[in-house]
Amino acid sequence: MKQPDSRYQELAVPGVRALHPYLPGKPIEALEREYGVEHAIKLASNENPLGPAPAAIAAAQQELAGLARYPEGSGYRLTAALARKHAVEPAAITLGNGSNDVLDMVARVFLGPGREAVFSAHAFAVYPIVVQAVGASARIAAAQTDNHGHDLAAMAALIGPDTRVVFIANPNNPTGTWLAEPALRRFVAGLPDHVIVVIDEAYFEYVEQADYPDTSRWLAEFPNLVVTRTFSKAYGLAGLRAGYAVSAPGIADLLNRVRHPFNVNSVAQAAAVAALDDSTHLEAAIRLNREGLQQLEAGFEKTGLSWIASVGNFIAVDTGQDAAGVYERLLQQGVIVRPVANYGLPQHLRVTVGLPEENERFLSAIERALV
Ligand SMILES: *Cc1c(COP(=O)(O)O)cnc(C)c1O
């Protein structure tokens, strides 16, 4: 094989040269191939164990015959459905190839060399990537010491004249920690006019805490707010890649200028529209998740492990040791979870809530893996 030519490394823009690519969870097939195990389970990517709503699958299938055509470029039906859902005009919606795509658009519109983005330690790994890729600087706030969650005061202290974007994950991945309405509202209200705040609500549907805010309702009040949501998590459509932002139309107009044409494919558009209509399936996913979190917590308690209290569809457990070995011994038993050392949590493993029997299998496997 040809060696990669290091000269090309130097040709890359500085931000990209220093970039570490996003690390996805290990696919089931890769584990089975590499370890020679069968019936592996994956609790590593916060996917919905129930899968998508049957109506979403049917809508996707129906769309297949039309694959020779480009998708509807504006995503007319999906945009209209989302505008109805959020009681905003369609011009307030920006569709993304997953919500990661929208995060990238925000960076390309508002960041660049000489500009800064603020986010928290242990925050979602895509923030540093999109910031660095456009040559902007990341200012990373220390997290809360008790639960590794966002410390809004520490974040506010990092905002300066060159700050253009603040990223907040509510709840955050991989910690599962969340911010309550009063504190978050105060933070947003206190931001200077030259700062856009992105509130990433990828796990919105799962959160049942009474004080958890739907910040898409704050748009009339805060014109610098961008709220992102996704069909990848509670809606169970991660493989199709559909997400979106809700914002003031002026911001959506800017985001749409850099949006790649046809970024959300026709199958994803159709499935997402159908998924929005099926509240029964969504409620089943939420219930399963609530029970699964309780099951995992009870198992950790029994094993003497501590964890970060989570409101997402995943939970970070403290293995009490370097988690790399535990991760490896879980793989040997056919159980894939996510190491989070790259998030600054080297002793934790993030496990996605699965079906009851998957949670059980993970709990017995981790007991054996702890040695
Ligand atoms: C999973 C996730 C996303 C969304 O991913 P997409 O599949 O691109 O929509 C966004 N933010 C956080 C914090 C996530 O965990």
Side-chain angles (χ1 to χ4, degrees):
M1 217 177 73
K2 255 187 175 166
Q3 289 301 312
D5 192 331
S6 62
R7 279 177 310 167
Y8 296 131
Q9 295 283 322
E10 285 153 31
L11 290 179
V13 292
V16 172
R17 233 182 292 161
L19 207 57
H20 299 285
Y22 181 80
L23 283 175
K26 195 186 234 341
I28 287 181
E29 279 178 30
L31 176 72
E32 293 185 343
R33 200 169 51 235
E34 291 164 22
Y35 284 68
V37 293
E38 283 180 345
H39 311 297
I41 59 168
K42 182 181 174 195
L43 301 174
S45 300
N46 301 347
E47 294 149 344
N48 185 335
L50 289 184
I57 298 176
Q61 268 161 347
Q62 255 202 348
E63 204 57 39
L64 296 179
L67 284 185
R69 302 222 179 262
Y70 279 99
E72 216 286 308
S74 67
Y76 181 83
R77 284 181 59 218
L78 179 55
T79 301
L82 291 170
R84 263 197 311 279
K85 174 184 162 78
H86 291 286
V88 294
E89 37 185 321
I93 305 290
T94 307
L95 297 184
N97 188 259
S99 55
N100 286 332
D101 190 25
V102 183
L103 300 173
D104 191 56
M105 289 179 218
V106 170
R108 282 187 291 139
V109 169
F110 294 105
L111 295 171
R115 296 174 175 219
E116 295 175 355
V118 171
F119 51 88
S120 175
H122 318 303
F124 186 43
V126 165
Y127 309 153
I129 294 177
V130 299
V131 169
Q132 231 179 293
V134 298
S137 328
R139 310 230 28 213
I140 302 175
Q144 302 277 4
T145 43
D146 54 347
N147 68 353
H148 308 283
H150 290 15
D151 178 340
L152 291 175
M155 292 179 73
L158 291 183
I159 291 166
D162 297 325
T163 308
R164 289 293 174 276
V165 180
V166 177
F167 290 102
I168 292 177
N170 195 34
N172 182 45
N173 167 17
T175 57
T177 49
W178 61 288
L179 297 163
E181 164 129 20
L184 187 53
R185 177 185 281 279
R186 235 177 295 122
F187 176 85
V188 174
L191 287 171
D193 283 344
H194 65 272
V195 174
I196 302 290
V197 55
V198 176
I199 303 188
D200 176 346
E201 297 182 343
Y203 302 94
F204 177 86
E205 296 80 7
Y206 286 116
V207 187
E208 304 189 282
Q209 270 64 17
D211 240 9
Y212 174 71
D214 174 353
T215 61
S216 73
R217 291 167 188 267
W218 299 359
L219 287 166
E221 224 173 317
F222 303 119
N224 57 338
L225 175 61
V226 176
V227 181
T228 63
R229 299 272 183 96
T230 183
F231 288 92
S232 299
K233 305 286 161 56
Y235 289 105
L237 291 171
L240 278 181
R241 317 302 303 125
Y244 63 98
V246 201
S247 67
I251 291 183
D253 168 57
L254 290 163
L255 298 178
N256 274 296
R257 292 182 201 186
V258 301
R259 184 170 70 86
H260 293 186
F262 315 112
N263 64 332
V264 182
N265 69 69
S266 49
V267 180
Q269 289 184 30
V273 169
L276 281 176
D277 265 347
D278 193 337
S279 55
T280 313
H281 188 77
L282 187 65
E283 279 157 23
I286 294 165
R287 186 173 346 109
L288 185 79
N289 190 63
R290 183 194 313 133
E291 292 164 2
L293 277 176
Q294 289 164 359
Q295 183 187 3
L296 289 169
E297 288 177 356
F300 296 152
E301 181 93 57
K302 199 169 125 245
T303 314
L305 292 169
S306 53
W307 64 90
I308 307 173
S310 171
V311 296
N313 67 341
F314 56 86
I315 186 164
V317 59
D318 187 348
T319 65
Q321 56 186 287
D322 184 336
V326 184
Y327 170 65
E328 186 58 37
R329 290 187 290 278
L330 285 170
L331 290 180
Q332 288 162 4
Q333 300 176 73
V335 176
I336 312 170
V337 296
R338 185 74 74 93
V340 282
N342 59 326
Y343 284 89
L345 297 168
Q347 298 211 4
H348 287 78
L349 290 172
R350 189 195 70 195
V351 55
T352 301
V353 176
L355 298 170
E357 56 273 25
E358 293 176 320
N359 301 332
E360 193 47 54
R361 183 158 156 208
F362 160 74
L363 286 169
S364 3
I366 197 169
E367 231 179 312
R368 282 194 291 273
L370 281 172
V371 292

